[in-house]
Amino acid sequence: MNSPEIKVSQALARKAQSLGAEGLEWLAKLPQLVTELARDWQLVVGDPFTGGSEGYVTEAKTLDGMDVVLKVAMPPMEGNAVIAEEIWALKIANGQGYARLYRYDLSRRALLLERLGPTLESLEYSPYEQMEIICQVLRRSWVTVPPRALLKTGADLARELAEFIRGLWRELNQPCSKLVLDRALAYAREREEEFALSASVLVHGDAHNQNTLQVLGTEPPEFKLIDPDGIAAERAYDLGVLMREWIAELLADPLSSGKARCHYLAQLTGVDPGGIWQWGFIQSVSTGLFLLHLGAGQQGRQMLQVAEEWAREQQVGF
């Protein structure tokens, strides 16, 4: 097959370089790895997609002309999806609400996926229209997790996020108030205690508008999700991710806007708003701290600013 030219985005290169020698080695070997995958899977590799920061993602064609996507995940990194769990999620979903998985090679951290169209972010929808679309996709994708699935649980995630938040808060010299820290940790404890495997479904874990893509050739447009974290958890976790998004819509009046968004998401899905609010708070704090850690200071500070306002309200009417 062809020997593709590898063009790595700045975001991906920066993330890989932050891993030190392991990340630099992965970047150096990436052209050879893509060439080998193209040969073994009989692909013609095209141009890479822009915007991804967890792996090298490029368009490709099979020998019979089917458009596909080749994804080669970078080495493991805190904050990134675990490739084995992503594969499990895609296998469980089997194309229902998610891009279909055609092939994978765990040893080479490679996946061959259904080719989808533009991201929801790039289309002309308002934030609330985007929330409605994402919730429609999530409701299709919240399927039962088989007992054999080796997925992280919502309880695992609550504990991990609590440790992640506590560690970064110290490392970054307390960039938000102790009140925000304590509220995030308290909410994480509550979500851990509320976890029940019997009430869990397959959740995506990061279902925002860049991970929601239009299905090619559909009218009216249909959408699917990509890049799942793959977690067995309560539905509210996915909706908590949407609480942190479209930050500009929240900044003018964080508390009123946040409560309105929380109730809207609950209305769209039938999920308890209390769980949505708590996961949304945890997401805003953990993601805000992570963005500061990565050097995306403005966006990180904005998320923490919203969390400060949310933390001052003892009762949010749920």
Side-chain angles (χ1 to χ4, degrees):
M1 295 295 99
N2 64 326
S3 298
E5 180 182 357
I6 301 298
K7 298 177 182 177
V8 176
S9 70
Q10 289 185 349
L12 178 59
R14 187 163 54 246
K15 255 191 171 182
Q17 289 161 2
S18 73
L19 290 172
E22 184 181 25
L24 292 172
E25 182 181 9
W26 180 78
L27 287 170
K29 291 183 175 179
L30 185 60
Q32 178 184 347
L33 180 55
V34 173
T35 299
E36 291 173 354
L37 287 163
R39 178 198 65 210
D40 296 347
W41 289 352
Q42 297 188 304
L43 303 173
V44 177
V45 176
D47 295 327
F49 294 99
T50 59
S53 63
E54 295 193 7
Y56 183 75
V57 185
T58 182
E59 60 184 25
K61 279 184 180 292
T62 62
L63 285 186
D64 60 4
M66 182 171 68
D67 289 318
V68 291
V69 170
L70 174 65
K71 176 179 177 178
V72 184
M74 63 180 285
M77 177 181 184
E78 191 170 27
N80 282 1
V82 177
I83 188 67
E85 293 169 355
E86 178 177 352
I87 291 168
W88 263 110
L90 293 169
K91 289 171 68 176
I92 292 167
N94 194 28
Q96 185 171 330
Y98 287 83
R100 191 170 293 279
L101 176 66
Y102 297 125
R103 299 188 70 162
Y104 64 92
D105 184 330
L106 187 56
S107 66
R108 292 188 284 188
R109 303 178 61 78
L111 295 82
L112 193 66
L113 300 158
E114 175 184 5
R115 173 75 182 275
L116 299 172
T119 65
L120 180 58
E121 180 193 37
S122 68
L123 303 175
E124 295 181 355
Y125 292 100
S126 71
Y128 271 76
E129 288 172 327
Q130 292 182 56
M131 287 181 226
E132 182 176 357
I133 289 168
I134 294 171
C135 285
Q136 288 173 351
V137 180
L138 285 173
R139 290 182 69 173
R140 293 201 310 273
S141 69
W142 284 333
V143 297
T144 302
V145 177
R148 72 181 191 283
L150 302 176
L151 295 182
K152 190 178 299 180
T153 70
D156 297 331
L157 198 62
R159 287 190 295 271
E160 290 179 10
L161 283 171
E163 288 304 310
F164 184 70
I165 289 168
R166 187 184 288 110
L168 275 185
W169 188 76
R170 292 170 179 163
E171 179 185 324
L172 296 170
N173 196 25
Q174 306 176 13
C176 58
S177 69
K178 184 73 161 44
L179 174 63
V180 167
L181 173 69
D182 290 343
R183 185 64 55 83
L185 298 181
Y187 283 165
R189 284 193 299 273
E190 187 167 346
R191 297 331 304 161
E192 180 184 356
E193 291 167 0
E194 291 287 326
F195 173 76
L197 190 59
S198 60
S200 297
V201 294
L202 175 67
V203 302
H204 180 282
D206 201 21
H208 51 67
N209 59 6
Q210 295 176 40
N211 281 339
T212 308
L213 276 59
Q214 185 177 342
V215 179
L216 290 168
T218 56
E219 189 59 44
E222 296 177 10
F223 294 85
K224 287 188 175 185
L225 297 165
I226 61 169
D227 296 347
D229 291 341
I231 307 160
E234 58 183 325
R235 293 165 175 82
Y237 182 81
D238 271 338
L239 303 176
V241 171
L242 298 180
M243 289 293 295
R244 76 176 190 218
E245 296 295 301
W246 304 282
I247 193 70
E249 302 291 319
L250 297 171
L251 286 171
D253 189 351
L255 186 58
S256 294
S257 298
K259 291 165 95 173
R261 182 180 296 186
C262 185
H263 280 292
Y264 185 63
L265 294 170
Q267 177 186 344
L268 288 172
T269 60
V271 174
D272 171 50
I276 298 172
W277 181 266
Q278 291 190 352
W279 279 120
F281 189 92
I282 295 165
Q283 279 290 327
S284 294
V285 177
S286 62
T287 307
L289 292 172
F290 188 52
L291 288 169
L292 288 179
H293 175 68
L294 291 178
Q298 180 179 1
Q299 190 178 2
R301 285 189 293 272
Q302 288 174 338
M303 284 192 180
L304 295 178
Q305 178 185 337
V306 168
E308 293 283 359
E309 295 298 319
W310 288 358
R312 293 192 181 102
E313 183 75 2
Q314 290 293 331
Q315 294 291 330
V316 291
F318 303 138

